[in-house]
Structures are given as C-alpha cells and as structure tokens.
Amino acid sequence: MPYEFHFELVMQSLDRLLWGAALTIRLSALSMVLGLAVGVCAAVILKNGPAYARAVVRAYVEIIRSTPFLVQLFIIYFGLPSLGLQLDANGAALVAMTVNLGAYAAEIVRAGIGAVHPSQLEAAQALGMTRWQVMRHVVLLPALEKVYPALASQFTLMMLASSVVSAISAEELTAAAHLLDSETFRSFEIYIVVMVLYILLALLFRFGFWVLGQIVFKRRRRLGAVRMGA
C-alpha cells in the first residue's frame, strides 16, 4: 500500500527541532572559534616551535586525523570520568569538536604559513618590525586569507558532523529528531525535515563565512592599498 505522509505531526513539534538546531549552531560556532585558536597555535609551533613541541603537536594532529570523531567523542565523554574529569554531554561535545577541528585547522593554517614568501619576512625585518608584528601582519593574516575558503569548508563540515554528538545524548538537532521519532514513529517525515534544516544551516554558515571574509580580508586589502598610496 502507498505510504501516506503526515508532516503535520512533525510541524506540531517543530519548535523542538528548532531548539536542537539552535544548540547545533551554538556548539558549532564555539568549536569553530576555539578550534581555530588551537589550529593557529599548533600551526605556529609546527613552523617555528622547538623540536619537542613540534613532536607533541605533530602526534596530536596525526592521532586526531587518523581516528574517527565518534571514538574521540567517546573517549572524552566516557573515558575522562575515569581520570576524575566529568563533563556533561554538551560540554563533552564542545571539547571533542574543538579538539577535532583544531587538528584539521592546524594542517590548513600550516599550509597557508608555508605559502608566505621568505622575501616578505626579510622585508618586514628590514623595516624593523618586531617578531610579533611580523607574525601577525606578514605571516598569519596573509596565511589565513589564503586558506580561508578551506577553513570555511572545514568549519561547515564540522557543523554537519556535530550530528554525531547525539550518540552521547547532547541535545542538538539530530538528538531532538531521535526523541521525536521515538514518540511519533514518523521517521521518514522527521528526517526529511531534519535534512532540510541541515541544508539551511549549511547555507547559513556558508553565507556567514562569505560575509566575514568580505569584511575582514577586503577591508585589510583596502587599508593596505591606502597605506601604500600614502
């Protein structure tokens, strides 16, 4: 017999899915900020840090990039309590997303730093810039501009991968869908709506990254052009 769709049952509880989507946005946004900070620090260490620090960071990056995100999540949520560190589901999800994203961001940013031409460093040093000024204005900002599209794509992928944290009952969009499914048994309709919500979230994040890139990097290029003209 033909399947009959009943989306009205899902629409009646749409607020629960939207609440889960809001948590997905919060977790993703926080992990992006923290993960980028971790990635930048790790990339700088990989390029200019002492040998022992480079070895530690390289091990971290390889371990995270060579293991499933779900396993990392379980280690943080189920394993850390054995060491006396108890995190709730949302906290564990944020830590796992940050650690995972930091490793991938480190490799992306490291590639951007490697693309900075040595002559630019020599010119900055000849102008008497401090080491921090060189790192900030000549290395990091141009490097981030070069790899920004790759970072934005990785951030969007992490937002989509946040659905995995429903495995530890973090109350994000997929977890809300699981609960609603167990109550209504309208799996097809529920997950079609959830799929649409994830598509909208991905489009929202991509648009936000585009706007941010226009504001940060185009403004920087305009200021640079003004200074050169002066």
Side-chain angles (χ1 to χ4, degrees):
M1 59 182 298
Y3 186 84
E4 295 184 7
F5 289 95
H6 292 283
F7 282 100
E8 65 276 6
L9 295 175
V10 183
M11 294 299 106
Q12 291 171 4
S13 301
L14 184 61
D15 59 328
R16 294 168 60 180
L17 294 178
L18 293 178
W19 182 264
L23 180 59
T24 294
I25 293 173
R26 291 199 300 272
L27 284 175
S28 300
L30 282 172
S31 67
M32 288 169 192
V33 173
L34 297 174
L36 179 59
V38 172
V40 169
C41 292
V44 171
I45 291 173
L46 286 173
K47 294 298 291 186
N48 300 311
Y52 72 90
R54 292 200 305 271
V56 171
V57 171
R58 194 172 294 112
Y60 154 64
V61 171
E62 288 302 319
I63 289 171
I64 296 301
R65 285 163 55 91
S66 301
T67 55
F69 177 51
L70 183 60
V71 173
Q72 300 162 19
L73 180 66
F74 282 173
I75 289 175
I76 291 171
Y77 186 64
F78 295 114
L80 290 184
S82 303
L83 303 177
L85 182 56
Q86 183 75 45
L87 297 173
D88 62 16
N90 292 344
L94 177 60
V95 171
M97 291 169 67
T98 298
V99 170
N100 184 276
L101 188 55
Y104 284 91
E107 283 296 284
I108 294 172
V109 175
R110 183 182 65 82
I113 293 175
V116 176
H117 200 277
S119 62
Q120 293 178 273
L121 303 179
E122 295 170 1
Q125 291 168 352
L127 290 172
M129 297 177 69
T130 66
R131 187 172 182 179
W132 164 244
Q133 289 174 327
V134 172
M135 180 58 66
R136 179 185 175 188
H137 297 290
V138 182
V139 177
L140 283 182
L141 288 179
L144 288 175
E145 184 176 2
K146 286 183 175 68
V147 301
Y148 184 72
L151 282 174
S153 296
Q154 189 63 48
F155 290 160
T156 303
L157 288 174
M158 176 50 66
M159 183 277 294
L160 296 175
S162 67
S163 61
V164 172
V165 305
S166 63
I168 60 171
S169 300
E171 299 171 356
E172 46 73 68
L173 178 55
T174 302
H178 291 339
L179 290 175
L180 189 57
D181 183 24
S182 67
E183 296 171 7
T184 64
F185 301 102
R186 307 303 302 184
S187 303
F188 203 8
E189 294 91 330
I190 289 170
Y191 290 109
I192 287 176
V193 172
V194 168
M195 181 178 68
V196 171
L197 288 175
Y198 273 117
I199 291 172
L200 293 176
L201 287 178
L203 293 175
L204 175 64
F205 272 75
R206 288 169 186 165
F207 177 73
F209 291 134
W210 178 81
V211 171
L212 182 62
Q214 296 296 308
I215 293 173
V216 174
F217 298 119
K218 288 222 169 175
R219 179 175 179 274
R220 177 179 172 274
R221 286 196 292 269
R222 284 198 300 269
L223 288 174
V226 169
R227 287 169 182 168
M228 288 179 66

